[in-house]
Structure formats: C-alpha cells, structure tokens
Amino acid sequence: MIKTIMVALGAAFFIIGVHQSFYYGIVASYWLFALAGICVLTLQFLQKKEEEKQKQSAPTKKSKPNNKKKSRKRK
C-alpha cells in the first residue's frame, strides 16, 4: 500500500512541478521536483528492503556432495 502511495505522490509532484515551471520557472518549482525525487528514492529503498527480507526468509538449498565415481568402460 505504501508503494502505491509513493508512486502516486511522486507522479503528482512531478506533474504539478512541470505545470508550475511553465508559469513561474524551474527555480520556483524546484521543491516540487525534489519531493518527486524523494518519493522515487523512498520507493526504491522500500523495494530493496523487501527483496532483502525475501532473501533472508527463503529457505536455502544445500547442494549434495557428488561422491559418485565416474565409471569408465574399458575396451
């Protein structure tokens, strides 16, 4: 749910920033672009944190040692 909110806020801040930059310039609307960037970075942080959590909770497979000897056919 928090990811959806971050995407929506990031998109909204970016669109409003573009609109305001047409009227007042980029310098005056910089803070809107900064908020959009913060939303995107927060989204990436949450995704990375979720991936690490899934890696830790996933069971690890132990590989079985291969003790079989290869038999060669002699002619």
Side-chain angles (χ1 to χ4, degrees):
M1 171 118 168
I2 191 79
K3 290 181 188 178
T4 306
I5 293 170
M6 284 296 142
V7 169
L9 282 175
F13 284 136
F14 183 77
I15 291 169
I16 293 169
V18 169
H19 177 267
Q20 292 297 312
S21 67
F22 284 133
Y23 290 104
Y24 304 111
I26 292 178
V27 176
S29 61
Y30 174 79
W31 63 277
L32 289 164
F33 292 115
L35 286 176
I38 288 171
C39 290
V40 170
L41 290 175
T42 303
L43 179 65
Q44 288 181 350
F45 174 75
L46 291 172
Q47 287 177 344
K48 183 82 168 181
K49 190 175 178 182
E50 185 177 304
E51 287 176 4
E52 289 177 3
K53 192 175 184 181
Q54 286 179 354
K55 281 184 181 179
Q56 289 177 355
S57 66
T60 57
K61 285 187 174 181
K62 292 184 178 179
S63 61
K64 294 181 181 179
N66 193 359
N67 292 332
K68 295 181 182 178
K69 292 183 180 179
K70 293 183 181 179
S71 60
R72 294 183 185 180
K73 292 184 180 179
R74 294 185 185 194
K75 292 184 181 182

